[in-house]
Amino acid sequence: WSYVSDPDWSAATNANATTPTPTAPASAWASLTNYTDFTASWAASTGATGYRLDVSETEGFNGGAGTPTGADLVAFEFAGYAGSEVVGTATVVAAEMQSPVTITRGAGLTAAGNVNRFNAQGWDGTASAAAALAASNYFEWTVTPQAGYIFSVTNIVMRLERSSTGATNVALRASHDSYAADIAVKYGITESGTAISTNVSGVAGLQDVSGAITFRLLGWPGSGTGSMGFEGTGDDIVIQ
């Protein structure tokens, strides 16, 4: 007897063979966004078994998710102020930060008129930053992220001017350590203006913050009628 059959083995497979990559989905669409959610849709891609959606607040996909990507978090410009306003309002607030952001004076100070400045008098009676804090001789402002965001402060810029008998020294402190340590100190504020720029990226309490941070600029010494405040070319306070 005899038996005849076709080959019953399969064709060999090359170990280096690759599976074709599915093409990117077409017709991507997203609804209007808000701070918490949005809806996205796209045409199915042949051969795809799953999808990953990368989301950014900028076209260039700069910055990390949940982190403000702008250079300035908050900025104040007091051009046009009379100086004696009870409250000053920030002119720049990043979209990821709560707005409005305002600046006020501590209870030890009173408003004092001076064009193009947020100004105060009552800097007498203290001889150190600690004494100024105890006497409530400071300017104060608070920055807070929107829900679901964190922020880090890397640099703070302040421009100050004073009268001939206004506070000559300042120290910046913040609420992350209950105003215990100086973030920046400047001695010899001039009548013609002094700019202070401080890198605070190494201050751990100002990094990856999910809640409010209050800053206080303490001033000393000066006379009761001498004044000092924020004034200069460009933004007078910048939090970056």
Side-chain angles (χ1 to χ4, degrees), residues 28-78:
W29 171 89
S31 67
L32 292 177
T33 61
N34 54 46
Y35 285 115
T36 59
D37 59 76
F38 68 94
T39 299
S41 66
W42 52 86
S45 179
T46 302
T49 58
Y51 300 91
R52 290 185 179 180
L53 182 64
D54 197 4
V55 178
S56 176
E57 296 170 335
T58 64
E59 291 184 5
F61 281 73
N62 301 317
T67 303
T69 56
D72 295 345
L73 297 175
V74 173
F76 292 85
E77 167 58 83
F78 299 115

Side-chain angles (χ1 to χ4, degrees), residues 28-210:
W29 171 89
S31 67
L32 292 177
T33 61
N34 54 46
Y35 285 115
T36 59
D37 59 76
F38 68 94
T39 299
S41 66
W42 52 86
S45 179
T46 302
T49 58
Y51 300 91
R52 290 185 179 180
L53 182 64
D54 197 4
V55 178
S56 176
E57 296 170 335
T58 64
E59 291 184 5
F61 281 73
N62 301 317
T67 303
T69 56
D72 295 345
L73 297 175
V74 173
F76 292 85
E77 167 58 83
F78 299 115
Y81 274 53
S84 56
E85 288 81 358
V86 175
V87 175
T89 303
T91 48
V92 174
V93 179
E96 301 87 354
M97 306 298 290
Q98 291 187 22
S99 181
V101 177
T102 58
I103 184 172
T104 58
R105 303 169 184 84
L109 303 177
T110 57
N114 195 106
V115 176
N116 298 325
R117 184 187 299 177
F118 189 75
N119 204 37
Q121 64 184 20
W123 302 102
D124 57 319
T126 61
S128 67
L133 179 64
S136 297
N137 288 358
Y138 51 75
F139 294 108
E140 178 179 275
W141 63 95
T142 301
V143 296
T144 310
Q146 298 280 9
Y149 282 85
I150 61 173
F151 72 98
S152 296
V153 182
T154 58
N155 195 60
I156 299 174
V157 178
M158 299 175 290
R159 294 180 173 87
L160 302 166
E161 292 188 15
R162 68 178 182 89
S163 70
S164 60
T165 56
T168 56
N169 307 321
V170 295
L172 182 67
R173 298 186 179 186
S175 59
H176 67 284
D177 64 353
S178 300
Y179 312 103
D182 296 333
I183 297 172
V185 179
K186 182 67 176 180
Y187 298 97
I189 303 300
T190 67
E191 295 177 49
S192 59
T194 299
I196 304 169
S197 181
T198 304
N199 186 314
V200 296
S201 59
V203 180
L206 299 181
Q207 311 307 309
D208 297 327
V209 181
S210 60

